[in-house]
Amino acid sequence: LVNTAKMRKLIYVITVICLCYAQNADAQTVAFDSAYARQMVDTLASPFSLGRGYYRNADENAANIIATEFYKFQVEPFEKNNYYQQFHFSVNTFPHTVNVALKKRQLKPGADFIVSPGTPATKGTYKVMWCDSNTINNRAKLDKFISKKYPKKFVLFNMKGVNDETTKKIVGKVISSNTIGAKGIGQIKDKLTWSVSTTVDGFPTVEFLTGVITKKKEAKKISLDIETQFYDDYTGRNVLGFVKGTEVPDSFIVFSAHYDHLGIMGTEAIFTGANDNASGCAMMLSLAKHYATHPAKYSMAFIGWGGEELGLLGSFNYVEHPVFPLGKIKFMVNVDIMGTGDDGITVVNGTGYKPRFDSMVAINKKLNLLKEVKIRNNAANSDHYPFVEKGVPAFFIYTLGGIKAYHDIYDKRETLPMTKFKEVYILLTEFVKTF
Ligand SMILES: [Zn+2]
């Protein structure tokens, strides 16, 4: 074994070089404040934030939280003393009672059932008419069933054991349009996924989680007590700010995230939307916090979108009323669902800007950040979409793997892991450096 003084010196030198290199590699990526990101998720996804919906102007409260952060960091508003851009829409909400009971059994809102977001105010007890695979899988029986009208009945569809795609489509149409004239429509589902609606349907729809009703005799009758509040002219808002660039201040790199979510379904079921999209807001704000003290070559714009869950209303409104020309957007990255990352990320519209996507993949490889950076075609699934339609170069990034909670009461801050949040943050800040 050679262990002379010379060798020891050589090992020392190599170690010092390695340490310097490691430190240098570390210094290349920007600082990240994980406590801040977690704090923003916890604030926005608090039960007191009421799911960032429309009851008690919870969305406006969330917008205020974002604007307050902008102000704190001295992110500049585009308009003097005003971070907001308003727009208008209608929305159906469930601020008070949402009760569904079978015989004497009260079901748990959000856990056992959801009402469809367009459900109108309904109160009454109705006889249940079952339509299950015995009927649905027999074409003659199904045709006979759906040719009738059920004006006094609540018709409950159980698609378990129905596999034929054409049949599924036929029944799907009956359920969504109530072509059978039922008093109400029910459906048994393996996953309850809620949403929010700008319109009110002509009939109530209730979705039950598989296992909640196991026997027909448990649900001979159903009682609905559903209160709604419909706003026909609600004022929503986007939150906008920027940090002036050091070299090319009239061109912008945009980071955006929607802050709205689904609100509440009655007083019990709060859809806090920790992953969707308190996590994306935390990412956008973490980036704003960084660039406020470390301005980049280009101006950096930060946008919190309202009305996303209602159909990308904030971003669609924005592209018609941009606060600076859309042509001045060098690139835009919209983030939504930043809370996991165990399996990496997906870059929506990666195919539209392949060289940019490739540079993101190269950064990921070099810094060994995420398991995978997946490419996907453009899709109308978040606020990048109206921009892409207008020819603005944009990506939409979401994280993959981990928890499965989505548009349900289980998308909570307590269980949001934020597994690769820091890695995505580093990837994005490194990506900015390539411009
Ligand atoms: Zn979302």
Side-chain angles (χ1 to χ4, degrees):
L1 222 125
V2 191
N3 196 3
T4 60
K6 203 176 165 188
M7 197 63 185
R8 253 178 265 139
K9 200 179 168 192
L10 183 63
I11 289 168
Y12 174 76
V13 169
I14 289 168
T15 309
V16 167
I17 289 169
C18 287
L19 281 174
C20 287
Y21 180 79
Q23 259 179 0
N24 204 13
D26 214 40
Q28 275 173 7
T29 63
V30 303
F32 170 68
D33 185 347
S34 67
Y36 176 73
R38 175 53 76 175
Q39 184 206 327
M40 289 325 297
V41 167
D42 287 352
T43 305
L44 288 164
S46 157
F48 297 109
S49 288
L50 296 173
R52 305 182 301 284
Y54 305 97
Y55 172 55
R56 288 197 181 168
N57 298 97
D59 68 324
E60 189 178 351
N61 186 42
N64 289 341
I65 291 169
I66 290 170
T68 304
E69 295 305 297
F70 282 179
Y71 182 75
K72 230 164 67 183
F73 304 145
Q74 295 184 301
V75 168
E76 292 177 52
F78 284 93
E79 205 180 283
K80 199 169 186 285
N81 300 326
N82 183 18
Y83 288 111
Y84 301 124
Q85 176 185 55
Q86 296 189 342
F87 54 97
H88 300 268
F89 51 85
S90 57
V91 61
N92 192 36
T93 68
F94 302 87
H96 305 300
T97 307
V98 176
N99 285 339
V100 173
L102 307 169
K103 270 189 179 171
K104 277 167 196 159
R105 186 170 141 224
Q106 195 79 40
L107 301 183
K108 269 196 91 53
D112 292 342
F113 75 91
I114 53 173
V115 295
S116 76
T119 286
T122 309
K123 194 175 170 113
T125 298
Y126 315 102
K127 271 191 180 155
V128 176
M129 180 73 144
W130 282 77
C131 184
D132 56 21
S133 59
N134 287 335
T135 305
I136 299 169
N137 283 333
N138 180 320
R139 196 51 188 272
K141 275 191 190 172
L142 177 65
D143 284 347
K144 195 176 165 203
F145 188 91
I146 64 177
S147 68
K148 292 184 193 158
K149 302 278 184 232
Y150 305 88
K152 287 184 174 164
K153 301 239 168 84
F154 183 92
V155 180
L156 181 54
F157 291 88
N158 186 2
M159 304 292 281
K160 203 116 217 150
V162 179
N163 300 312
D164 180 57
E165 289 304 319
T166 314
T167 310
K168 278 187 190 171
K169 256 188 206 155
I170 293 168
V171 179
K173 180 111 208 302
V174 173
I175 290 172
S176 62
S177 309
N178 190 13
T179 51
I180 52 175
K183 187 71 205 170
I185 296 274
Q187 205 184 348
I188 294 173
K189 291 223 159 176
D190 289 333
K191 158 88 174 76
L192 301 178
T193 304
W194 208 41
S195 188
V196 54
S197 177
T198 57
T199 54
V200 181
D201 302 334
F203 57 96
T205 305
V206 184
E207 292 183 4
F208 303 89
L209 189 67
T210 300
V212 168
I213 308 169
T214 50
K215 297 183 194 93
K216 283 189 189 180
K217 66 174 182 188
E218 290 173 35
K220 282 184 179 166
K221 276 184 183 176
I222 188 167
S223 298
L224 305 181
D225 186 0
I226 301 163
E227 292 178 333
T228 64
Q229 167 85 58
F230 182 74
Y231 299 96
D232 61 2
D233 186 17
Y234 193 94
T235 303
R237 49 194 59 66
N238 297 322
V239 192
L240 313 151
F242 73 102
V243 176
K244 205 170 178 179
T246 53
E247 289 174 41
V248 199
D250 71 334
S251 282
F252 291 80
I253 290 173
V254 179
F255 282 115
S256 73
H258 78 86
Y259 65 80
D260 67 298
H261 195 53
L262 308 176
I264 59 175
M265 193 190 79
T267 49
E268 263 184 72
I270 304 173
F271 292 73
T272 53
N275 202 6
D276 186 7
N277 187 26
S279 68
C281 292
M283 181 64 76
M284 185 271 286
L285 289 170
S286 295
L287 291 162
K289 181 173 181 279
H290 168 69
Y291 288 107
T293 48
H294 304 82
K297 185 167 139 194
Y298 294 95
S299 287
M300 304 295 296
F302 303 95
I303 309 177
W305 303 114
E308 193 266 359
E309 304 286 9
L310 285 160
L312 318 177
L313 298 186
S315 48
F316 268 119
N317 179 79
Y318 180 86
V319 297
E320 297 306 326
H321 307 97
V323 295
F324 61 90
L326 293 177
K328 289 290 178 188
I329 299 179
K330 189 83 187 152
F331 209 85
M332 171 184 182
V333 179
N334 179 62
V335 291
D336 196 345
I337 306 189
M338 291 278 106
T340 68
D342 311 55
D343 296 331
I345 57 170
T346 291
V347 180
V348 177
N349 202 33
T351 48
Y353 294 89
K354 190 63 178 15
R356 292 290 179 202
F357 173 80
D358 291 341
S359 82
M360 214 172 244
V361 171
I363 294 162
N364 185 53
K365 203 176 166 198
K366 188 178 145 214
L367 299 178
N368 194 21
L369 299 167
L370 301 157
K371 192 165 153 188
E372 201 180 349
V373 176
K374 274 193 183 170
I375 195 162
R376 187 175 162 182
N377 287 333
N378 192 28
N381 51 0
S382 196
D383 294 301
H384 65 294
Y385 185 75
F387 287 83
V388 175
E389 290 268 278
K390 294 276 184 188
V392 174
F395 285 162
F396 157 38
I397 298 179
Y398 59 88
T399 56
L400 300 166
I403 51 160
K404 295 280 175 286
Y406 174 73
H407 280 217
D408 54 39
I409 57 166
Y410 306 108
D411 183 5
K412 289 178 170 182
R413 56 184 184 175
E414 293 91 329
T415 45
L416 190 76
M418 297 176 82
T419 324
K420 296 288 176 186
F421 195 91
K422 181 184 174 180
E423 285 78 0
V424 176
Y425 172 86
I426 292 170
L427 183 69
L428 294 175
T429 49
E430 292 299 311
F431 182 62
V432 168
K433 290 181 189 171
T434 65
F435 285 84

